[in-house]
Amino acid sequence: MVLSLNSSFVDPLLQFESQLNIIESSFKMVFAIPSLEKVREMGTSEDDKEDLENLYQSILNMFEETLLILVSKDFYKLQILKDMIIWMNEDTSYLQERVMMIISSVLSFASKKVKRYASIDAPCLGVLAAELSLLCFHNDPLITHQASLGMCYLLWIAKCQNADIEEIKSTMCNSGNHGLLPVPSDTEFLLMDLQQDKTKITQYVGQTLKPSLLTDFVWSLLMRLSSSNCVTAFEASTMLKMTLEYHAHKVTMVSKIVDAIYKQLCEHSSHVMRHTLLRVITLLIRSSPKKVIFQLMDYPIPADNTLLLMWQAAGSESRMAPHVLKTILLILKGKPGEMQDSLMERRRFSLDTTNMMPVAASQALCTLLPISSYKRAVAEFFPQLLMALMLQLFYSSDLRLMIKDRLFYARDALRVLLNCSGLQKVDMALKKKNCWNQFSQVLSHHHRVYLVAKTLSDYNFPQFPETLHYLYKLSVEGPRRSEDSVIIVIFFTELLNNFFKDPFPEEFLVLFRNWVNDPNPAVSKLSLQKIASMAPVINKVENVRSLLISILDAFFSKDKTVIIWALLTLRKLLGKLNKVTYSSLSTRIASSYYPLMDHSNGGIRSMAIYHFGELLKDMSQYPWILNDMVTGGLVPLILFLEDTEIRVAKACKYTLKICASELNWSTSYLLKDKHHNFELVVLNICKNLLISHESYITNLISDTLGFLRSSRIYLRRASVILIGYLTKLGSHLLLREEIEVMLDAIDPVLRDEDPVIRELAEITYRDFKEMSLKLTSSNFKQIFRRLFSLIYLKKLKPLYNWPDNLADSL
């Protein structure tokens, strides 16, 4: 019946399960019969006894032959032998010696059969080896002998698995090294080695089994630790430790083993078993520190007593301390509370999709750092641990991540790190400043980071060179997250402030130049603040031009506060900058102010306009530079006189007065509040332009056209008036085609939603039409019109009379 299922037309898995069920029931019937002596006693005559003996042997031989046939067809079915050992151990009344003889016989047959194949598939060898190795120490010498003999054959099969048979055979025959396995025909000395010698067994098993099979061997021994048979558990414990002592590097599925150990420790295990399980953790940490540590971090927080014991076991190997700390540092790069992108993308199991491993790693450091054997490794990785924990404190505070009982493991780990590194005074000083208690609060975390850095500097901590070098490395390479850079900049800046005088060396200053335009606004502001503090020594900076240009680039930031800090910093530096460098950059500085004069934020508009005025005053002794700068910003200065924000209008008046003073225009009195009228100011400025800066009028017209489509009503209204006067007084400079373009530009304004703007636009449009009809390309007539315009401008009256009482005020 068993053999009838051995068909290629049957699903292999279903076939094996069916065969195994039949064999199990047959096993329990066959090996439950009495011993041969008892069977013979049942006979009344010698013939009866002989017949009974023949029947007895036939039954056992038939069972054995069935197994031989099954194995000859498929080495995968060697797994049946493993199950036979399990069934045998369940009931000691079975004929155990005969079971072991059959197992040994089948393995002998398989070891000879294996010569015919280039490779075989026998995945059960690891588990079977574990069961046989335990039986090598059975109380019954016959069972021990058969188990040892079976191990010899099994190891030969394992050696041949997925290997070249002829190569192995020739190697073993020609070698005098008894460390190699002999061929099956010469097993005597191997048998002597294996019997009652755990060291030899584990040595041969570790050398022979490939990693997947050795992992099964280790897993089986691990499971047998919880056996009710104390002798079996003890033997399994001994061999498990000896195997891992020398062959742990071949073991795979380390995370699964560690998890199984955790579950066994959580149960009420004996003292011996607990000691063995913790020793396994220690041995695994030697070869797979990363796998062990990652698994230990993947349990719920806070860690229970069992997990604390496992951490201590992991930390007991001093030579592995650097590897353990490196792995923990890798975990600390994560941000608590971050969600995994996809469960399918994760390489290890986790209790949920939220990454809480960094919190567990911080708690683990509280256990590992005080271990005396870790002292050298802690000193080596002090800068990395310091910054990793500072960042973890920032993440926890930022996310309001409160652990049970409000425990902050990153804070506790940081304190342990300081105390383990000879910085107890720093810890006490921070405690007096109430720094540690403040870490549980979300607000002012940046200030607490500053406190830690400042206190370390005040006590001249000996790890300064390594810490500074590491911070510099982080700064150059760039942090993993934008928010990380804030902590790095604060810490880095404070260390530099305490150990270097301004200005910083160029290799450090270049970092601040780069940080000015960092994507994180907080970093930009910190960098700008530091650069502003260097104003008194700005002329000592080696590459001051690039420093100033980086500040100008910050004018284009999307963050308003960054722009404001950039404006303030630049102004502070310019006040101390030598005139040669200043004048060479003045045009670039002015062109950077122009866009800010039209910024959406009123504070930035007013500040940019004020600072532009200061720039003009500073450049008063360079008239060849001054003219271009004034005309470049003149249009917004005029238009924003109508700004609805008083501070912007005042800034425009202030700067226009400087322009009038430097260019000798008679406009200043019109900018006083009691005389101010926008149209009169425009008219006066245009007259002065025609006299002293006629060549700039066409450019000013072009600048003004851009404001006709502004979303702000006061700008559209003011630009209509300004372009009207510029065109009226500069008409002799324009061609007919240029007037046509201006007519097209003013045409949409005729339909503006604001009635006042529509009325002003109609007047301007009508004037443009009249000018277009009068324009000619004759050089003689253009010259004539220019002379006429100089006479005409003295008599020119306001075109718009806006507001209505304008005429009366003239």
Side-chain angles (χ1 to χ4, degrees):
M1 184 175 180
V2 173
L3 297 179
S4 67
L5 292 170
N6 212 29
S7 170
S8 59
F9 298 102
V10 181
D11 179 85
L13 181 60
L14 294 176
Q15 178 191 105
F16 178 74
E17 289 179 352
S18 300
Q19 290 175 337
L20 187 62
N21 290 332
I22 295 171
I23 290 173
E24 181 179 3
S25 60
S26 301
F27 176 91
K28 292 180 178 179
M29 288 188 291
V30 170
F31 294 101
I33 61 177
S35 65
L36 180 58
E37 289 74 14
K38 291 182 179 180
V39 170
R40 284 178 61 84
E41 290 175 0
M42 295 177 186
T44 57
S45 63
E46 286 298 323
D47 291 339
D48 289 344
K49 291 180 180 180
E50 185 176 348
D51 290 340
L52 285 171
E53 182 177 349
N54 290 335
L55 178 62
Y56 181 90
Q57 296 295 346
S58 297
I59 293 171
L60 293 175
N61 290 338
M62 185 181 297
F63 187 89
E64 181 178 337
E65 287 170 3
T66 302
L67 292 178
L68 292 174
I69 294 171
L70 290 174
V71 170
S72 69
K73 299 291 185 181
D74 187 357
F75 274 84
Y76 179 85
K77 292 175 183 177
L78 285 172
Q79 183 171 337
I80 296 172
L81 304 183
K82 179 264 296 183
D83 292 308
M84 286 175 62
I85 296 176
I86 294 174
W87 301 330
M88 180 186 79
N89 289 330
E90 288 176 353
D91 190 345
T92 57
S93 66
Y94 291 143
L95 300 174
Q96 295 186 336
E97 294 86 352
R98 191 54 189 259
V99 172
M100 291 307 302
M101 288 176 65
I102 292 175
I103 290 173
S104 176
S105 177
V106 173
L107 287 172
S108 175
F109 168 79
S111 67
K112 296 171 184 175
K113 185 83 172 177
V114 76
K115 299 176 186 178
R116 303 177 186 178
Y117 305 102
S119 63
I120 59 170
D121 178 28
C124 66
L125 292 183
V127 179
L128 183 55
E131 296 296 338
L132 288 173
S133 65
L134 292 174
L135 289 173
C136 287
F137 305 95
H138 198 277
N139 293 329
D140 189 333
L142 292 176
I143 293 177
T144 300
H145 177 77
Q146 293 299 327
S148 301
L149 194 59
M151 279 293 292
C152 295
Y153 296 127
L154 181 145
L155 291 172
W156 168 255
I157 297 170
K159 190 73 176 180
C160 297
Q161 191 173 31
N162 298 322
D164 189 294
I165 302 298
E166 294 302 322
E167 181 182 344
I168 295 172
K169 193 172 179 180
S170 62
T171 302
M172 292 183 175
C173 289
N174 297 329
S175 175
N177 184 359
H178 293 284
L180 295 172
L181 290 174
V183 293
S185 59
D186 184 19
T187 58
E188 291 301 323
F189 74 90
L190 177 60
L191 183 59
M192 294 175 61
D193 272 353
L194 293 181
Q195 285 184 335
Q196 300 293 325
D197 193 333
K198 299 182 183 68
T199 304
K200 289 293 184 180
I201 291 175
T202 55
Q203 177 186 348
Y204 281 119
V205 167
Q207 291 175 351
T208 307
L209 297 185
K210 62 182 183 179
S212 61
L213 298 180
L214 185 61
T215 302
D216 292 340
F217 178 82
V218 169
W219 178 262
S220 297
L221 292 177
L222 183 66
M223 294 299 102
R224 296 305 293 270
L225 292 178
S226 55
S227 172
S228 57
N229 188 321
C230 297
V231 176
T232 301
F234 175 77
E235 300 296 349
S237 168
T238 305
M239 282 195 290
L240 177 60
K241 290 185 286 187
M242 292 176 69
T243 302
L244 293 176
E245 190 78 40
Y246 301 103
H247 306 290
H249 62 280
K250 290 179 65 176
V251 176
T252 59
M253 298 174 62
V254 173
S255 297
K256 180 181 177 182
I257 294 173
V258 173
D259 187 51
I261 290 172
Y262 175 75
K263 291 175 181 176
Q264 287 182 312
L265 285 172
C266 287
E267 298 172 359
H268 298 293
S269 53
S270 65
H271 176 74
V272 175
M273 181 180 177
R274 183 180 294 267
H275 179 270
T276 301
L277 292 172
L278 293 176
R279 180 60 183 166
V280 170
I281 293 293
T282 303
L283 294 172
L284 288 175
I285 206 78
R286 292 178 180 177
S287 58
S288 305
K290 187 174 291 187
K291 293 178 182 178
V292 174
I293 294 301
F294 265 91
Q295 182 58 43
L296 291 178
M297 300 303 166
D298 207 18
Y299 293 102
I301 52 171
D304 54 26
N305 292 332
T306 298
L307 203 52
L308 292 174
L309 284 174
M310 294 175 75
W311 282 346
Q312 290 172 353
S316 61
E317 281 287 314
S318 59
R319 63 188 178 90
M320 298 309 300
H323 300 282
V324 172
L325 292 182
K326 282 182 182 178
T327 305
I328 291 178
L329 285 169
L330 183 63
I331 295 171
L332 289 175
K333 289 182 178 180
K335 183 175 182 179
E338 276 187 336
M339 302 295 290
Q340 300 285 349
D341 293 336
S342 170
L343 286 174
M344 298 300 293
E345 294 177 1
R346 289 157 58 213
R347 300 178 181 176
R348 55 182 179 78
F349 87 92
S350 183
L351 300 174
D352 53 39
T353 57
T354 305
N355 180 20
M356 297 302 290
M357 291 180 73
V359 180
S362 298
Q363 187 182 8
L365 285 177
C366 296
T367 300
L368 296 173
L369 293 180
I371 298 175
S372 57
S373 59
Y374 268 57
K375 187 173 183 180
R376 179 176 295 181
V378 171
E380 179 184 353
F381 291 101
F382 177 84
Q384 293 91 326
L385 290 167
L386 175 66
M387 293 314 302
L389 292 172
M390 291 302 302
L391 290 173
Q392 286 301 317
L393 281 167
F394 174 65
Y395 298 150
S396 300
S397 182
D398 183 51
L399 295 172
R400 297 176 181 266
L401 188 64
M402 295 294 181
I403 312 302
K404 187 179 179 181
D405 298 327
R406 299 178 64 85
L407 293 175
F408 275 75
Y409 296 118
R411 176 196 62 191
D412 298 340
L414 180 58
R415 296 191 68 180
V416 172
L417 175 65
L418 294 175
N419 283 281
C420 292
S421 304
L423 300 173
Q424 295 87 347
K425 291 183 179 179
V426 174
D427 177 40
M428 292 303 298
L430 289 169
K431 184 178 180 180
K432 289 180 180 178
K433 295 175 183 178
N434 201 33
C435 179
W436 300 127
N437 293 331
Q438 291 176 2
F439 272 116
S440 60
Q441 303 170 11
V442 178
L443 300 177
S444 304
H445 183 78
H446 292 172
H447 176 67
R448 294 190 288 274
V449 174
Y450 159 80
L451 271 181
V452 174
K454 181 72 167 63
T455 307
L456 282 168
S457 299
D458 290 344
Y459 282 86
N460 293 316
F461 70 115
Q463 298 89 347
F464 167 74
E466 298 92 334
T467 305
L468 185 66
H469 180 269
Y470 179 67
L471 285 168
Y472 180 77
K473 179 174 176 286
L474 279 181
S475 303
V476 172
E477 293 175 353
R480 289 168 57 88
R481 297 176 182 81
S482 177
E483 61 263 37
D484 293 1
S485 53
V486 180
I487 307 302
I488 293 170
V489 172
I490 294 173
F491 224 95
F492 191 50
T493 303
E494 189 52 38
L495 293 186
L496 290 175
N497 284 338
N498 281 272
F499 291 94
F500 292 95
K501 294 182 178 179
D502 288 336
F504 292 154
E506 177 62 20
E507 59 267 27
F508 296 136
L509 198 57
V510 69
L511 296 175
F512 287 90
R513 285 205 300 269
N514 296 335
W515 285 332
V516 166
N517 294 287
D518 192 89
N520 189 330
V523 174
S524 298
K525 286 182 278 187
L526 288 168
S527 180
L528 288 166
Q529 290 171 12
K530 178 56 194 174
I531 293 172
S533 70
M534 292 190 286
V537 293
I538 189 62
N539 294 312
K540 295 181 181 179
V541 174
E542 292 181 24
N543 199 354
V544 67
R545 289 177 63 89
S546 62
L547 182 64
L548 294 172
I549 289 172
S550 68
I551 297 172
L552 294 176
D553 291 339
F555 286 2
F556 300 99
S557 172
K558 295 180 181 180
D559 189 271
K560 298 173 184 177
T561 55
V562 171
I563 299 174
I564 292 171
W565 268 106
L567 285 166
L568 293 171
T569 300
L570 180 65
R571 189 64 241 158
K572 195 169 183 179
L573 297 181
L574 293 178
K576 301 291 184 179
L577 190 64
N578 70 73
K579 293 299 180 182
V580 176
T581 306
Y582 193 173
S583 61
S584 66
L585 287 170
S586 59
T587 303
R588 172 72 183 271
I589 295 170
S591 63
S592 298
Y593 281 136
Y594 299 153
L596 296 184
M597 294 180 185
D598 188 26
H599 197 275
S600 59
N601 181 270
I604 292 175
R605 288 202 302 275
S606 62
M607 191 177 293
I609 292 168
Y610 268 120
H611 290 183
F612 180 62
E614 295 300 318
L615 174 65
L616 297 178
K617 280 202 298 187
D618 294 340
M619 293 295 106
S620 59
Q621 54 187 309
Y622 304 99
W624 61 90
I625 299 175
L626 200 62
N627 289 335
D628 288 338
M629 286 196 297
V630 169
T631 53
L634 189 59
V635 169
L637 288 176
I638 296 171
L639 298 182
F640 281 100
L641 282 170
E642 292 293 282
D643 200 304
T644 53
E645 293 196 36
I646 297 175
R647 55 183 173 176
V648 178
K650 285 185 176 181
C652 289
K653 291 177 183 179
Y654 171 79
T655 302
L656 281 172
K657 287 177 183 178
I658 295 173
C659 293
S661 173
E662 297 298 336
L663 300 178
N664 297 316
W665 290 351
S666 56
T667 306
S668 297
Y669 79 97
L670 291 173
L671 295 170
K672 295 180 180 179
D673 291 339
K674 62 180 180 179
H675 300 297
H676 176 71
N677 185 285
F678 179 71
E679 188 172 1
L680 287 181
V681 172
V682 171
L683 176 57
N684 186 277
I685 290 175
C686 288
K687 286 179 179 180
N688 282 287
L689 283 170
L690 186 61
I691 295 170
S692 60
H693 295 80
E694 182 186 54
S695 61
Y696 290 98
I697 288 180
T698 53
N699 290 335
L700 293 172
I701 291 173
S702 177
D703 292 344
T704 310
L705 286 173
F707 286 93
L708 288 175
R709 296 183 180 181
S710 172
S711 60
R712 286 168 278 190
I713 294 175
Y714 67 85
L715 281 179
R716 298 201 300 276
R717 184 173 61 227
S719 61
V720 170
I721 295 173
L722 177 58
I723 200 170
Y725 280 108
L726 287 172
T727 306
K728 189 77 172 178
L729 295 176
S731 59
H732 60 284
L733 303 172
L734 303 171
L735 301 175
R736 186 188 301 275
E737 291 78 8
E738 293 172 324
I739 292 294
E740 292 296 331
V741 171
M742 293 166 63
L743 283 168
D744 290 340
I746 204 72
D747 181 69
V749 189
L750 295 172
R751 297 178 292 280
D752 194 277
E753 60 183 14
D754 186 82
V756 175
I757 293 176
R758 290 200 300 269
E759 184 179 348
L760 295 174
E762 287 172 2
I763 297 172
T764 304
Y765 189 84
R766 188 167 53 250
D767 284 347
F768 285 0
K769 275 290 187 182
E770 291 176 3
M771 282 184 268
S772 177
L773 296 173
K774 294 178 183 179
L775 283 178
T776 175
S777 59
S778 168
N779 290 335
F780 173 75
K781 289 185 177 181
Q782 280 192 340
I783 294 170
F784 175 77
R785 282 171 37 233
R786 182 177 184 281
L787 292 172
F788 175 77
S789 66
L790 291 173
I791 300 171
Y792 174 72
L793 73 84
K794 295 181 179 179
K795 298 180 179 180
L796 182 64
K797 298 294 183 181
L799 301 174
Y800 303 95
N801 291 319
W802 183 86
D804 294 334
N805 62 350
L806 179 60
D808 298 335
S809 64
L810 290 174

